[in-house]
Each structure stands twice: as structure tokens, then as C-alpha cells.
Amino acid sequence: MASGDLLSVAAGVGIVILLACITHPGWFSLPAAPEETTPVLAVMTPTPILQVPQTPAPSVEVRRLAYVKNPALQYQIHLIPENSPGHFGASDPSWQESNISTFAYLEESRGGATDTFTVPYPLWRINCTLEGGSRPEAAGISVLLVDAKDNKIVDGAEVKGRGTVIKNIEVSGKPFYLVVKTQNSDPFRITLETKTRYL
């Protein structure tokens, strides 16, 4: 082959390569080296604990009960007789929930009959607490819950010495009064309570 022919072939190959580079530039490029990536450390920020705002308990006006001046005439009853079997039982089971609200109370050191009160809650309780006073071995209180419409006894409680008796009541929507008899008791406290969700 003559050198002129060789030169012509080389020129033709060069032109073909040049045209190929122009029309398809990716064919003749070297593969790109993989990029070095620096690992990114994720910084864990603690997720704040979602605090649910506490719903405040509805406010209820706590009523202080007082004794009437002449209960025998007002209610046509006599105070608790010496022998009143069947009206006093052991303390009822305590409620398992902790949200309990007081809506009325009586603090006294003597017996009597309270003015009337109405309870709108479907479930409530009478909580009688006696500290015992100067002679705890001889102290005691007896409490009757009476329906004021017909003077019938609904329930009763008795505390002897220091202690607490609770009576759960499921009667409501009518007027009641309490009859209290004391024996050697210093001030005692009776609270009327209900579950806060009923307020």
C-alpha cells in the first residue's frame, strides 16, 4: 500500500471519529469515577413528650349543712332512738377512682337534724369521720339519711371510736336530711361526695 493511500485511510478514520464525537459525545468519554461521599451522621433530637393539658375539675360550691332548731316539729320525727337496729351497716366498698368531689359537709360536736338538701348526682356517698376526742373508747356517732318527703330512712351509718364509715347512695333528685346522734364525741365531720365526672 502506498503511503498516500495509508494517509487517506487515516484521514477518513479521523473524520469518522471526529463526527462520532460531535454527534455522540458520550461514546468516547471515560466512565466517571464514583464520587466519594462523606457519611452524614444523623443527630437524633429527642422527641418532646406530648403533654395533654389536664382538664380542670368543674368547680362546685360546697354547701355547709346546719341543724334546724326544732326537728321533731319540722320533720315530725324524733331523733334516733336508743334501739334502732337495721339502719346501720358496715362501711360500703370504697370507690376505685381518685377524682372525688365534696359538695356538702357538716361539722359539729353535738347531735341534731340538718336542714334539707337535694342531691342531683346519680351516685354519691356519705363519708362520716370521727376523731374520737378526749375519750375515744366511748365516742360514737350514728347518722341516718332520711327522705324528707315521707320521713322514711334511706340509709344509716355508725362510727364507734376513731374511724370512718362510708355509705354509697344511689337515690337522688329528692330532698333529704341527716339525723345525727352523738355520744362523747368531740367535733366530727360528715361530707357528702360524688365522682367528679358527675359534676
Side-chain angles (χ1 to χ4, degrees), residues 94-165:
S94 184
W95 293 338
Q96 294 304 312
E97 61 186 273
S98 58
N99 293 329
I100 297 169
S101 297
T102 298
F103 61 88
Y105 71 98
L106 173 69
E107 283 183 332
E108 282 288 345
S109 55
R110 61 181 179 85
T114 69
D115 49 4
T116 58
F117 57 90
T118 303
V119 180
Y121 314 116
L123 177 64
W124 55 287
R125 69 185 188 182
I126 303 171
N127 187 340
C128 308
T129 303
L130 179 61
E131 294 299 327
S134 56
R135 297 178 57 203
E137 71 284 349
I141 60 169
S142 302
V143 182
L144 292 180
L145 174 67
V146 183
D147 185 329
K149 283 188 177 176
D150 55 15
N151 291 321
K152 287 190 177 171
I153 296 170
V154 177
D155 208 340
E158 188 171 39
V159 183
K160 296 215 177 258
R162 281 192 189 99
T164 298
V165 170

Side-chain angles (χ1 to χ4, degrees), residues 24 30 63-64 85 91 94 144 158 183 192:
H24 300 290
L30 293 173
R63 177 182 173 192
R64 180 171 187 148
S91 188
S94 184
L144 292 180
E158 188 171 39
Q183 177 183 345
L192 307 184

Side-chain angles (χ1 to χ4, degrees), residues 38-197:
T38 306
V40 178
L41 296 176
V43 178
M44 300 295 290
T45 48
T47 306
I49 297 172
L50 181 64
Q51 292 190 354
V52 179
Q54 294 287 336
T55 305
S59 61
V60 61
E61 184 178 340
V62 180
R63 177 182 173 192
R64 180 171 187 148
L65 300 176
Y67 286 145
V68 295
K69 291 191 176 176
N70 198 335
L73 291 179
Q74 182 164 338
Y75 300 129
Q76 281 128 36
I77 58 144
H78 297 286
L79 294 185
I80 300 173
E82 290 299 323
N83 52 356
S84 52
H87 300 308
F88 308 115
S91 188
D92 288 340
S94 184
W95 293 338
Q96 294 304 312
E97 61 186 273
S98 58
N99 293 329
I100 297 169
S101 297
T102 298
F103 61 88
Y105 71 98
L106 173 69
E107 283 183 332
E108 282 288 345
S109 55
R110 61 181 179 85
T114 69
D115 49 4
T116 58
F117 57 90
T118 303
V119 180
Y121 314 116
L123 177 64
W124 55 287
R125 69 185 188 182
I126 303 171
N127 187 340
C128 308
T129 303
L130 179 61
E131 294 299 327
S134 56
R135 297 178 57 203
E137 71 284 349
I141 60 169
S142 302
V143 182
L144 292 180
L145 174 67
V146 183
D147 185 329
K149 283 188 177 176
D150 55 15
N151 291 321
K152 287 190 177 171
I153 296 170
V154 177
D155 208 340
E158 188 171 39
V159 183
K160 296 215 177 258
R162 281 192 189 99
T164 298
V165 170
I166 293 174
K167 286 297 186 173
N168 299 330
I169 311 296
E170 295 185 55
V171 181
S172 60
K174 53 172 67 176
F176 301 101
Y177 61 90
L178 296 175
V179 178
V180 182
K181 178 181 174 184
T182 62
Q183 177 183 345
N184 298 318
S185 63
D186 280 352
F188 59 87
R189 183 176 174 87
I190 298 172
T191 56
L192 307 184
E193 305 164 343
T194 189
K195 298 180 179 183
T196 305
R197 59 190 162 98

